[in-house]
Amino acid sequence: MVQEQMTYEEWGSSGEEQQEEMRPEGNVSLLGVSSTLRAVVRIKQKYQALKKRRQAMTLLASGQLLGAPARTSPKIFTFDTSASAMSSQPLRKKRKKRTVLFPNRRRKALVPTELSHARFCLYLLSAILFLQVYNAIENLDDHVIRYDLDGLEKTLRREVFGQHGAVEALLWHLRDFLSTYVHNRPLALSLHGPSGVGKSHLGRLLTGHFRSVLGEPLVLQYFALHQCPPEDADATGCARRLVSAVAHAAELGNKEEKIPLFVLDEAEQMRPEVLDALLELVDSPPANHFLNTVFVLLGDLGHELIAEQVLRNTSVGQPADAAPALRRHLESHHPLWARLHLLPLGLLEKRDVVRCFMDEMSREGFYPNREHVERLVAEIHYYPAMGGREYSVTGCKQVVAKVNLL
């Protein structure tokens, strides 16, 4: 358009020059007036043309001119008041959300950066649970201290010879049961072994220890041949008296929150009626007051199986290896032993018999001369030596009688 304007101006000037050349020279005044008028007209025409061009440019910029092509070029310089107002405000920094990548790198989980109030509740619940567990542990220690099981362990290890496995198993069962006062069934143990291996001696040690910590009424020691001899025809009465004594001790133990102990010796001599009564006590329902009781049966039923297992392989043979065969043998005798924990006692070696002689001589006030003890030990019968070990046939059963003859 500027080019067009310049062409128009050049054309106008060239036209005027031609007209001036064609006019006569004599009429100078009229020529000067007409030239002035023409200059005014040209200025007015230029002004109107410039005004029209500006209006056209404005219409093209706003897109309102009909027939004009739409403006597609982007605006380089804009003066938007809304953008300027937003730029004046401080920009807020967006928080970056942390993500947790799973191993498959496909799923993502947003982890909230703000602390949840539920976390404090979780901390409080954890603290309460820790205090309850700590209090329960303290109560367990109180129960164990009440029965002085550490003192019992020292006594058994000092007085019982050659039965380390059975002693450890017995102490483990007692610690596990006596550590709390809430049970769903009573503890019933059955110690079996050959004659002279220390069953009755172990029962006397248990009875004496628990009588010292619990009192006489909460401990019962039952001898089958004495309490219910074979000549007594009233076996049902024997069973009834035994159940009455156990019930009285159990009721007293519930009042004092103590666990009574019942040691039943000579189990092989018990009548079937007595064994049936014991089975009812061991299998007492959950609402029964016999749940917090300890039964320890002593007997020599199945001692042949134990001796055979120990002698078969003296290098690795242990009394506990005979437990499966012993259980089958005892269950055939009576169903009671299917509910008991079996603790087999093995044969005593020659060194154990020596310790029995020295201990008994010290009790009787004799000086334990080594040569004298070896002479007495040689009088005991032994199984044939196997693997460099000699096992006594009668254990320490003849020790007391031989020391009394001195």
Side-chain angles (χ1 to χ4, degrees):
M1 294 181 71
V2 176
Q3 186 177 2
E4 292 176 1
Q5 181 180 358
M6 293 176 61
T7 306
Y8 177 77
E9 290 177 357
E10 293 176 354
W11 176 83
S13 60
S14 62
E16 290 175 357
E17 292 177 354
Q18 292 177 2
Q19 289 179 3
E20 289 178 356
E21 292 178 354
M22 292 174 65
R23 293 183 182 277
E25 297 179 357
N27 196 2
V28 178
S29 62
L30 181 63
L31 183 61
V33 173
S34 62
S35 63
T36 302
L37 183 60
R38 286 195 300 270
V40 172
V41 172
R42 285 197 301 270
I43 292 173
K44 184 177 181 181
Q45 291 177 355
K46 291 180 179 180
Y47 173 75
Q48 290 179 355
L50 181 62
K51 185 177 180 180
K52 289 181 180 181
R53 285 196 299 270
R54 289 182 178 178
Q55 291 179 356
M57 291 177 65
T58 303
L59 293 176
L60 287 174
S62 60
Q64 296 179 1
L65 186 61
L66 296 176
R71 184 182 180 91
T72 58
S73 60
K75 294 182 178 180
I76 300 176
F77 300 101
T78 57
F79 301 94
D80 193 0
T81 57
S82 61
S84 62
M86 292 176 61
S87 62
S88 62
Q89 297 180 359
L91 297 177
R92 294 183 179 179
K93 186 178 181 181
K94 296 183 179 180
R95 294 183 178 180
K96 186 178 180 181
K97 295 183 179 181
R98 295 178 297 174
T99 59
V100 177
L101 297 180
F102 289 87
N104 55 8
R105 297 185 179 274
R106 293 181 180 178
R107 299 179 56 189
K108 295 184 179 181
L110 295 179
V111 179
T113 57
E114 298 181 358
L115 294 177
S116 176
H117 296 288
R119 183 175 299 182
F120 298 101
C121 297
L122 179 61
Y123 293 155
L124 180 60
L125 180 62
S126 300
I128 295 174
L129 182 61
F130 172 75
L131 293 177
Q132 290 181 349
V133 172
Y134 180 77
N135 188 23
I137 294 175
E138 291 293 330
N139 292 335
L140 293 180
D141 294 339
D142 294 341
H143 281 286
V144 174
I145 292 174
R146 173 185 296 179
Y147 301 100
D148 190 20
L149 295 182
D150 292 336
L152 176 62
E153 181 179 2
K154 295 178 181 179
T155 301
L156 295 181
R157 294 188 184 280
R158 184 180 61 251
E159 300 290 338
V160 180
F161 306 129
Q163 306 295 343
H164 303 290
V167 169
E168 289 181 0
L170 174 63
L171 291 173
W172 185 88
H173 284 290
L174 291 177
R175 289 183 187 277
D176 182 66
F177 189 82
L178 299 178
S179 60
T180 180
Y181 191 72
V182 180
H183 307 93
N184 55 4
R185 60 174 300 174
L187 176 63
L189 305 175
S190 181
L191 280 73
H192 290 265
S195 178
V197 296
K199 299 185 301 295
S200 299
H201 183 54
L202 181 59
R204 287 191 295 268
L205 293 176
L206 288 175
T207 303
H209 175 79
F210 278 92
R211 280 177 178 172
S212 64
V213 297
L214 297 179
E216 185 76 20
L218 295 179
V219 180
L220 173 65
Q221 190 172 14
Y222 183 86
F223 294 96
L225 292 177
H226 177 70
Q227 303 290 340
C228 188
E231 60 270 10
D232 190 353
D234 190 9
T236 305
C238 295
R240 187 171 54 253
R241 288 191 295 270
L242 175 60
V243 173
S244 177
V246 172
H248 176 72
E251 183 179 0
L252 183 61
N254 290 333
K255 291 181 180 179
E256 299 181 3
E257 293 187 356
K258 296 180 180 180
I259 298 177
L261 175 72
F262 308 106
V263 179
L264 310 174
D265 202 352
E266 301 170 345
E268 69 279 359
Q269 301 294 336
M270 290 182 179
R271 304 283 189 88
E273 293 80 2
V274 177
L275 295 176
D276 293 338
L278 289 176
L279 179 60
E280 294 179 1
L281 294 177
V282 172
D283 283 343
S284 57
N288 205 313
H289 59 279
F290 295 107
L291 299 178
N292 298 323
T293 53
V294 178
F295 295 91
V296 179
L297 276 71
L298 307 173
D300 61 354
L301 289 173
H303 64 90
E304 302 90 353
L305 299 174
I306 299 175
E308 181 181 359
Q309 178 64 35
V310 174
L311 295 174
R312 181 181 300 173
N313 192 349
T314 57
S315 60
V316 296
Q318 298 295 332
D321 299 336
L326 179 62
R327 180 176 295 278
R328 291 191 296 268
H329 176 74
L330 294 176
E331 290 178 2
S332 63
H333 182 74
H334 195 275
L336 171 64
W337 274 277
R339 307 292 191 273
L340 306 181
H341 299 281
L342 299 182
L343 303 179
L345 279 70
L347 299 175
L348 296 182
E349 297 185 38
K350 187 175 183 179
R351 59 183 180 182
D352 299 324
V353 178
V354 173
R355 296 176 61 186
C356 290
F357 270 107
M358 297 184 67
D359 182 72
E360 185 63 25
M361 293 175 67
S362 299
R363 293 177 185 274
E364 296 295 333
F366 295 100
Y367 179 75
N369 189 358
R370 187 68 180 182
E371 295 180 357
H372 197 183
V373 171
E374 290 180 357
R375 183 178 59 84
L376 294 175
V377 170
E379 298 177 0
I380 303 297
H381 298 283
Y382 299 93
Y383 290 102
M386 299 179 64
R389 297 183 178 183
E390 293 183 283
Y391 293 96
S392 174
V393 176
T394 58
C396 292
K397 196 173 187 64
Q398 301 178 3
V399 170
V400 176
K402 290 185 176 297
V403 171
N404 291 334
L405 295 177
L406 295 177

